[in-house]
C-alpha cells in the first residue's frame, strides 16, 4: 500500500540480503561439508529415483530416472521458479534505454536464476539425506545440519532465516506490485468494474491489492486441509503454475500473431529473424509451456498426494475457476455499460 518507491527500496536490498547472502553462505557451508569429509546426501541412499547400479555397487544418477509422467511432475513446479520476469515489463518505460537494457536484464535474470536454484539445490541435496529432504524446510534443514550439528553454531540459523524471510518478502512485493499495477491499467481501460480503480493517497491500487489478498488467503487454506505440508505446497504450486502457463500460451500466441498482423508497429525491442525467428522463439516457448501444463495435472510420484482424483480435480477446478473469473467479470461489466 506504500507505493512503487517503497517497493523499489525493499526489492533492491531484498535480493542482496535475502537471496545472494544466504545463498553464498549455503554454498560455503556445502563446500565445508564436502572438504571436512561429512557424508554426501545423494551418496548414502539406495532409492531408485536418485541412484543406479547393481551387485552392491550403487552410485548417484547423472540423469533422472524417468518411468512415466509422474516422475516428471516436478518439472511444472520448477517452471514456476522461472516465471514472473514478464510482469516487470510494466516498468520498461522507467528505463533509460529499454531497447538494450530490458533484454539484457532478462538474460541476466535467467542466468542468475538458473545458477542460484541449481547450485542451491545441489547444496541441499548434498547436506541433507535424501529421505529427509522437504520442499518447504530443506534449505533450513541444511543450515541446521551444518551450523547446528557440525559447527555447533545453531544460533546463526534463526538469523539466516530472518534474512531469507526478508528476501522472500521483497520477491512477493515484486510479484504483487507488477501484476496489480498492470491490472489497474486494465480497469482504467474499462474492462473491469470501476470500484477496482480506487487508489490511496500514495497511488497504490488499494482495492485490487485487497481483493488479491483475500483470494490468496483463501487458496492458502489448503494447508489446513492437507496433512502433508510438502504435498500441500506442491498442490498450491501446481494450481498456480497451471494458471500461469495459460497466460504464457496466450503470450506466445499473441507475439506470433502480432508479428503477422502488425509488423510495422514501432517496438522498444523485438525478436530478431523476422517471422521465422518469432516462430522459432515463441513456438518453442509455446510447446514447452503446453507440455508443462499437461504435467501440472499429474500427481508426483515422490510425494504422498493421497487421492489422485482429488488432486487432479483441485488443480483443474482452480484453473477453470480463475481462468473463467476475469472473463465473466469483463463480460458482465461490458453488458452493464
Amino acid at each position: 500500500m506504500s507505493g512503487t518507491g517503497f517497493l523499489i527500496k525493499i526489492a533492491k536490498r531484498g535480493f542482496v540480503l535475502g537471496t545472494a547472502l544466504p545463498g553464498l553462505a549455503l554454498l560455503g557451508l556445502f563446500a565445508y561439508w564436502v572438504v571436512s569429509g561429512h557424508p554426501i546426501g545423494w551418496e548414502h541412499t539406495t532409492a531408485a529415483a536418485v541412484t543406479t547400479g547393481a551387485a552392491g555397487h550403487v552410485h548417484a544418477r547423472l540423469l533422472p530416472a524417468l518411468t512415466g509422467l509422474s516422475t516428471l511432475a516436478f518439472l511444472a513446479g520448477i517452471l514456476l521458479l522461472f516465471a514472473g520476469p514478464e510482469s516487470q515489463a510494466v516498468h520498461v518505460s522507467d528505463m533509460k534505454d529499454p531497447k538494450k537494457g530490458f533484454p539484457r536484464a532478462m538474460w541476466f535474470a535467467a542466468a542468475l536464476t538458473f545458477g542460484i536454484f541449481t547450485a542451491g539445490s545441489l547444496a541441499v541435496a548434498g547436506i541433507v539425506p535424501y529421505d529427509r529432504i522437504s520442499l518447504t524446510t530443506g534449505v533450513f534443514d541444511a543450515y541446521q545440519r551444518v551450523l547446528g550439528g557440525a559447527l555447533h553454531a545453531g544460533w546463526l540459523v534463526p538469523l539466516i532465516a530472518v534474512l531469507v524471510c526478508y528476501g522472500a518478502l521483497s520477491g512477493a512485493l515484486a510479484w504483487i506490485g507488477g501484476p496489480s499495477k498492470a491490472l489497474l491499467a486494465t480497469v482504467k481501460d474499462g474492462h473491469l468494474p470501476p470500484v477496482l480503480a480506487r487508489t490511496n493517497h500514495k497511488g497504490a491500487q488499494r482495492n485490487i491489492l485487497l481483493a488479491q489478498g483475500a483470494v490468496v488467503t483463501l487458496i492458502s487454506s489448503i494447508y489446513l486441509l492437507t496433512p502433508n505440508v510438502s504435498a500441500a505446497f506442491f498442490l498450491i504450486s501446481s494450481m498456480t503454475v497451471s494458471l500461469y502457463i495459460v497466460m504464457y500460451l496466450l503470450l506466445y500466441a499473441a507475439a506470433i500473431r502480432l508479428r503477422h498482423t502488425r509488423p510495422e508497429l514501432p517496438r522498444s525491442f523485438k525478436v530478431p529473424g523476422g517471422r521465422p525467428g518469432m516462430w522459432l522463439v515463441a513456438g518453442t516457448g509455446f510447446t514447452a509451456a503446453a507440455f508443462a501444463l499437461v504435467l501440472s495435472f499429474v500427481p508426483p510420484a515422490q510425494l504422498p498426494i493421497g487421492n489422485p482424483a482429488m488432486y487432479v480435480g483441485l488443480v483443474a477446478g482452480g484453473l477453470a475457476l480463475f481462468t473463467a473469473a476475469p472473463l465473466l467479470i469483463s463480460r458482465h461489466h461490458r453488458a452493464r455499460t
Side-chain angles (χ1 to χ4, degrees):
M1 295 293 186
S2 298
T4 305
F6 178 75
L7 169 64
I8 292 175
K9 293 179 182 179
I10 295 293
K12 282 183 178 180
R13 298 179 179 87
F15 171 75
V16 175
L17 297 177
T19 301
L21 186 60
L24 291 174
L26 179 62
L27 295 180
L29 292 175
F30 177 51
Y32 161 77
W33 188 263
V34 174
V35 172
S36 58
H38 288 84
I40 306 302
W42 62 70
E43 291 182 350
H44 296 272
T45 179
T46 57
V50 292
T51 59
T52 185
H57 300 285
V58 178
H59 57 85
R61 289 181 177 272
L62 294 178
L63 297 175
L66 304 179
T67 58
L69 287 180
S70 62
T71 56
L72 276 173
F74 275 110
L75 181 61
I78 291 173
L79 181 65
L80 185 63
L81 302 178
F82 294 88
E86 77 290 334
S87 67
Q88 304 308 310
V90 297
H91 304 300
V92 166
S93 59
D94 299 326
M95 300 182 71
K96 294 180 180 179
D97 186 6
K99 185 176 182 179
K100 295 181 179 179
F102 191 66
R104 288 176 181 174
M106 292 299 98
W107 279 110
F108 179 74
L112 196 61
T113 302
F114 180 82
I116 289 174
F117 281 116
T118 302
S121 298
L122 287 174
V124 172
I127 297 173
V128 182
Y130 174 75
D131 57 351
R132 298 182 185 178
I133 293 179
S134 168
L135 290 181
T136 51
T137 64
V139 173
F140 301 106
D141 291 339
Y143 284 126
Q144 181 62 39
R145 191 170 173 82
V146 181
L147 293 175
L151 298 177
H152 306 290
W155 58 272
L156 285 173
V157 178
L159 298 180
I160 296 176
V162 171
L163 292 178
V164 173
C165 181
Y166 176 68
L169 175 62
S170 67
L173 288 176
W175 273 78
I176 294 171
S180 60
K181 183 177 179 181
L183 190 59
L184 180 63
T186 304
V187 177
K188 292 180 179 179
D189 286 341
H191 296 289
L192 291 173
V195 66
L196 294 176
R198 294 179 182 175
T199 57
N200 61 15
H201 65 284
K202 293 187 177 181
Q205 47 279 12
R206 183 191 63 187
N207 286 8
I208 292 177
L209 291 172
L210 292 175
Q212 186 174 348
V215 171
V216 171
T217 300
L218 180 62
I219 295 175
S220 299
S221 64
I222 291 178
Y223 278 111
L224 304 177
L225 306 176
T226 307
N228 186 280
V229 175
S230 291
F233 176 81
F234 188 83
L235 175 58
I236 294 175
S237 297
S238 295
M239 294 175 63
T240 305
V241 76
S242 63
L243 184 63
Y244 222 117
I245 289 173
V246 170
M247 184 277 299
Y248 275 124
L249 294 175
L250 295 174
L251 191 92
Y252 289 125
I256 295 174
R257 183 176 184 274
L258 287 173
R259 180 60 65 91
H260 283 265
T261 59
R262 301 294 299 276
E264 78 291 346
L265 189 68
R267 294 174 171 87
S268 298
F269 52 87
K270 61 191 302 184
V271 175
R275 291 184 180 180
M278 177 59 78
W279 273 97
L280 176 62
V281 174
T284 301
F286 187 94
T287 303
F291 181 62
L293 180 61
V294 174
L295 292 179
S296 68
F297 291 95
V298 180
Q302 299 90 339
L303 291 177
I305 293 299
N307 189 341
M310 180 178 295
Y311 175 90
V312 175
L314 286 173
V315 175
L319 177 62
L321 173 63
F322 291 110
T323 302
L327 300 177
L328 294 175
I329 293 173
S330 178
R331 181 177 179 181
H332 175 72
H333 181 63
R334 289 198 307 269
R336 292 186 60 183
T337 57

